[in-house]
Amino acid sequence: MENKIYPPGPKFVLGAYCSLYRDPLGFLTRMARQYGDISHLQAGSRHDYLINHPDYIKAVLLAGEDEMLRSFPRPLKPLLGNGLLTVQGEAHRQERRLLQPMFHQEQVARYARVITDRCALLNERWRDGLQIDVSAEMLRLTMLVIVQALFSLDVEDQAEEIGQLLTAVLEMTHKNRIPDLDELFSKLPLPKVRRYRRALARMDALMSRMIAERRETGSQHADLLSEMLRLRDPETGLRSLTDERVRDEAMTTFAAGHETTGTALAWTWYLLAQHPEVEQRMHSELDTILAGKTPGSEDVFRLTYTGKVLSESMRLYPPVWLMVRRPARDFPLGGFVLPAGCYVHVSQYLTHRDPRFFPDPERFDPERWVPEAVAARPKFCYFPFGAGSRRCIGEGFARMEGILVLATLAQHWSLRVVPGHPVGLKPFVTLRPSHGLAMTLHRRRPASS
């Protein structure tokens, strides 16, 4: 199918791609405002489309694996291997069916104690009046949680090193926004490239060693690694995952399972500090329902306002801010035909802030998430965990972790932004704060005490 009619878009292509590289969030926002719900950019044989309407987003994200392939930053491929985030087509369907039982609600609930125990240790370390980078603190916390849930290991003494290694990898994803330049950057002897390669090698060595030690000892633990090693093909009864596939899935679970949740929590603390009336209402819910006790998995669904706070935070600052798909064949959409092999960009950051679906979109308002308000909006105007066959398999774990961390820590602490600290956005593969989030801890005394 051939169609030479393209949606509107910038005419000065080089300038457009340079703007995209310098300020991706600003550029995409201007594209959507100026050119509407489908816009187009072409450089040579490469076609890029930006989709910004729930109906179109639904069509793209719910397209079958044989219609729409996932695209991802190339620097992540060596880290994640052939894990669930990177495999395509039938291989993805098979892998997801195999792993899905590990993330059922009753399975995920087993890790609630891991989360709250880690929060208790953080409570002991925090001090009234202490200034912290809450972004670094939340990434460290969620990293320790996922490593314990995945491997039953306490790597607190390695937390700083692992965090620096993952950051070195994520920094390279920023180079993946101008066509073909990512290949050039990866071959140049630049300091970031050298840090990236060293980080990949070190991360791979750490992950492979932990898996090999478990294989050698044959010990069983109540963790995700043991679940992976026990997986069997239902037809043959043979072991389903080779050590290489276990490594890829473990690395995928580790990288995705802490980076996104840690980033979401950091922005949530920041927003609560800016809106003390919301913080007070959340504190009241925690004091009433928990009355000073440590929350468990059974409390996650009772803490409805805390859940709304997390949802609204992920609306304004979605950890995954952009997804890219590539049609396997020509794909009709909105009166146009998207050619096979083009790049289709869908941005949570843009759609979550669209005033057509979220009036006064910059305002932080957890009441947007009362059931009647949710029912009145198009479903695909909010998709922090994606949708369709590529919807995040760990969504249940992430929401439970986010609510439990907020509930455990906010019973004891209020956080305030350090005056004068610059707050900006760093759109790597996740939406990190560009200068960290410097905040001061203030111990609170719950009303029940």
Side-chain angles (χ1 to χ4, degrees):
M1 185 185 302
E2 187 172 346
N3 190 331
K4 296 298 184 182
I5 301 175
Y6 298 117
K11 303 304 180 187
F12 181 41
V13 176
L14 179 60
Y17 277 115
C18 288
S19 295
L20 175 62
Y21 178 79
R22 288 195 305 267
D23 179 18
L25 294 174
F27 175 79
L28 295 178
T29 299
R30 292 190 296 272
M31 280 274 289
R33 288 176 180 170
Q34 184 171 353
Y35 301 110
D37 290 329
I38 303 183
S39 51
H40 172 255
L41 189 61
Q42 181 178 358
S45 61
R46 172 172 172 141
H47 294 265
D48 288 273
Y49 293 80
L50 178 62
I51 308 300
N52 193 42
H53 190 280
D55 293 344
Y56 303 153
I57 293 169
K58 177 180 179 180
V60 169
L61 296 188
L62 295 190
E65 287 280 333
D66 56 341
E67 295 180 277
M68 195 69 70
L69 302 175
R70 187 178 189 275
S71 182
F72 52 89
R74 292 186 188 180
L76 292 182
K77 176 64 176 177
L79 178 73
L80 304 180
N82 292 312
L84 195 61
L85 284 177
T86 57
V87 292
Q88 308 273 19
E90 182 59 29
H92 176 265
R93 282 191 287 267
Q94 292 177 359
E95 199 83 350
R96 190 175 181 101
R97 280 197 300 267
L98 191 65
L99 297 173
Q100 188 71 63
M102 296 167 49
F103 295 92
H104 285 168
Q105 182 178 324
E106 61 275 12
Q107 293 289 88
V108 165
R110 297 182 307 169
Y111 301 110
R113 184 64 180 271
V114 171
I115 297 166
T116 56
D117 282 353
R118 277 289 162 195
C119 289
L121 292 173
L122 191 58
N123 265 331
E124 294 175 4
R125 186 163 61 83
W126 280 2
R127 295 288 181 268
D128 192 27
L130 181 67
Q131 182 176 312
I132 63 169
D133 176 356
V134 77
S135 177
E137 288 283 281
M138 291 299 102
L139 287 170
R140 182 178 183 276
L141 172 65
T142 54
M143 187 267 288
L144 292 171
V145 165
I146 199 64
V147 170
Q148 191 164 343
L150 185 58
F151 294 110
S152 295
L153 291 175
D154 182 347
V155 293
E156 190 150 6
D157 58 338
Q158 296 176 281
E160 184 175 354
E161 179 196 7
I162 295 173
Q164 290 173 349
L165 292 174
L166 190 58
T167 296
V169 174
L170 294 178
E171 282 180 345
M172 282 296 292
T173 64
H174 181 68
K175 304 299 181 188
N176 199 41
R177 296 198 181 98
I178 298 181
D180 302 321
L181 280 193
D182 54 323
E183 286 284 354
L184 174 61
F185 273 113
S186 67
K187 295 174 183 177
L188 295 177
L190 302 172
K192 276 191 177 182
V193 175
R194 291 196 296 269
R195 285 198 300 271
Y196 164 75
R197 290 174 179 166
R198 288 195 299 267
L200 284 177
R202 179 64 176 149
M203 291 283 287
D204 188 62
L206 287 171
M207 190 67 65
S208 298
R209 177 175 57 80
M210 288 186 278
I211 294 170
E213 288 176 357
R214 183 68 63 85
R215 283 280 197 208
E216 290 172 7
T217 62
S219 58
Q220 295 296 314
H221 297 268
D223 58 23
L224 291 168
L225 180 58
S226 288
E227 294 287 339
M228 290 180 189
L229 295 175
R230 282 197 295 264
L231 285 173
R232 293 290 184 270
D233 187 296
E235 295 183 4
T236 66
L238 299 176
R239 196 172 78 195
S240 295
L241 297 182
T242 63
D243 282 4
E244 183 178 4
R245 286 178 67 195
V246 170
R247 178 264 177 216
D248 293 346
E249 294 301 350
M251 188 69 85
T252 297
T253 302
F254 165 74
H258 99 274
E259 173 71 24
T260 52
T261 309
T263 300
L265 282 165
W267 287 119
T268 305
W269 291 117
Y270 169 74
L271 288 165
L272 287 169
Q274 303 300 306
H275 300 84
E277 73 286 355
V278 173
E279 181 189 53
Q280 179 55 49
R281 184 168 174 184
M282 189 181 81
H283 284 164
S284 296
E285 177 181 79
L286 299 177
D287 295 346
T288 300
I289 292 178
L290 299 178
K293 79 175 183 69
T294 300
S297 61
E298 70 281 359
D299 295 307
V300 169
F301 300 101
R302 300 171 63 209
L303 297 170
T304 56
Y305 191 75
T306 305
K308 291 171 187 172
V309 167
L310 183 63
S311 294
E312 178 69 348
S313 171
M314 289 192 292
R315 181 187 71 82
L316 283 169
Y317 298 103
V320 177
W321 61 278
L322 182 73
M323 297 185 297
V324 184
R325 298 290 187 266
R326 302 192 69 183
R329 51 180 177 269
D330 289 354
F331 192 86
L333 188 72
F336 300 97
V337 176
L338 281 55
C342 72
Y343 294 82
V344 184
H345 303 263
V346 176
S347 173
Q348 291 95 322
Y349 182 85
L350 291 188
T351 310
H352 290 187
R353 291 169 177 251
D354 194 317
R356 293 175 294 178
F357 318 118
F358 299 99
D360 193 7
E362 302 297 322
R363 179 167 53 90
F364 179 59
D365 181 11
E367 288 304 300
R368 298 182 197 272
W369 302 101
V370 297
E372 54 270 26
V374 173
R377 291 192 295 265
K379 183 177 180 181
F380 284 82
C381 67
Y382 181 75
F383 48 103
F385 294 98
S389 63
R390 290 285 179 175
R391 190 180 183 99
C392 175
I393 197 172
E395 177 179 353
F397 186 100
R399 279 201 64 86
M400 179 184 75
E401 183 178 14
I403 292 171
L404 289 179
V405 169
L406 289 173
T408 306
L409 296 177
Q411 288 187 86
H412 305 281
W413 303 98
S414 290
L415 279 69
R416 292 294 178 265
V417 179
V418 172
H421 177 75
V423 177
L425 299 174
K426 183 186 287 184
F428 290 160
V429 68
T430 56
L431 193 61
R432 285 188 175 190
S434 55
H435 306 286
L437 287 173
M439 304 187 78
T440 304
L441 299 171
H442 298 276
R443 188 178 293 278
R444 65 177 293 262
R445 189 174 298 278
S448 59
S449 61

